[in-house]
Amino acid sequence: MIRRPPRSTHCISSAASDVYKRQVIMVEKSGGDLKSIFSKYTSGKPEMDGKTFFKMFKDCGLVDKKLTQTVIDLTFTKFAEKGVKRMKYDQFLKGIAECATKKGVSEADLKAKITASGGPAYKGTKADAVKWHDDKALYTGVYAQGGPTNVDKDKITSISQTCDRTAADVRGTKK
């Protein structure tokens, strides 16, 4: 569904209407085992940070009233190495088991939901076409000629052509 701009926006190409024209783009995901999901979330690194640990649960749709962001952060802190703020794969498995008990589901069910997600969900926006911006045939004024310039390239070749240096009297009038 595309959200529309508020009715108070009168201009077709206003910034507000451009924002409302953006649509979410989702990247398709494919399943895999838990080790490959861990690798996808960490971009191939051997350790996962707390932000990525929470993102994994959020992308899988596992965050609810029982398994909140606070619970996930505390679980991460409990199993991550002290002072490093990152967890390895074996600690990751312990964290998933802890989160399964906090959520009230079996560890196998939680792992199945994580592996079914297929990895991180990357979301972005893409602006729709705006005819006043994209169609250069509709440009007006100086922009129709290619935009403003400091010097007219076809007429002025040196600074002497921009200033009138002919003789003048004391008052500045030309003779």
Side-chain angles (χ1 to χ4, degrees):
M1 179 174 93
I2 298 175
R3 293 177 49 191
R4 297 289 175 207
R7 294 185 186 261
S8 63
T9 306
H10 298 293
C11 181
I12 294 173
S13 66
S14 70
S17 67
D18 291 346
V19 170
Y20 286 104
K21 287 180 182 179
R22 295 181 184 159
Q23 297 175 350
V24 174
I25 300 170
M26 303 269 308
V27 176
E28 290 186 29
K29 302 180 287 186
S30 61
D33 65 333
L34 205 55
K35 180 76 172 174
S36 68
I37 299 297
F38 178 84
S39 180
K40 286 179 184 177
Y41 273 100
T42 60
S43 301
K45 296 176 185 168
E47 297 174 329
M48 178 183 281
D49 62 352
K51 179 182 81 163
T52 310
F53 190 65
F54 175 71
K55 179 180 173 26
M56 180 193 62
F57 282 98
K58 187 176 175 187
D59 288 350
C60 296
L62 298 170
V63 179
D64 57 7
K65 289 184 178 183
K66 290 182 181 178
L67 191 64
T68 63
Q69 182 174 1
T70 306
V71 171
I72 294 169
D73 286 341
L74 289 172
T75 303
F76 176 82
T77 306
K78 181 177 179 181
F79 292 104
E81 293 180 21
K82 304 298 183 227
V84 178
K85 296 183 182 177
R86 295 189 177 275
M87 64 170 43
K88 292 185 168 63
Y89 183 69
D90 59 334
Q91 297 162 334
F92 169 75
L93 293 176
K94 293 176 186 175
I96 288 177
E98 178 76 16
C99 288
T101 58
K102 296 279 186 182
K103 189 166 175 66
V105 297
S106 69
E107 185 179 344
D109 289 343
L110 193 66
K111 286 181 180 179
K113 287 182 182 179
I114 292 171
T115 54
S117 74
Y122 298 104
K123 298 177 183 177
T125 58
K126 182 178 187 223
D128 285 346
V130 179
K131 82 175 190 181
W132 301 111
H133 180 267
D134 298 333
D135 188 4
K136 294 190 179 189
L138 298 175
Y139 285 4
T140 59
V142 82
Y143 297 100
Q145 305 301 320
T149 61
N150 294 338
V151 180
D152 291 331
K153 295 179 176 124
D154 59 334
K155 298 176 187 168
I156 300 173
T157 57
S158 70
I159 191 73
S160 65
Q161 294 174 329
T162 61
C163 301
D164 185 9
R165 302 206 182 256
T166 59
D169 65 2
V170 179
R171 298 174 125 183
T173 59
K174 300 291 178 183
K175 294 183 184 179

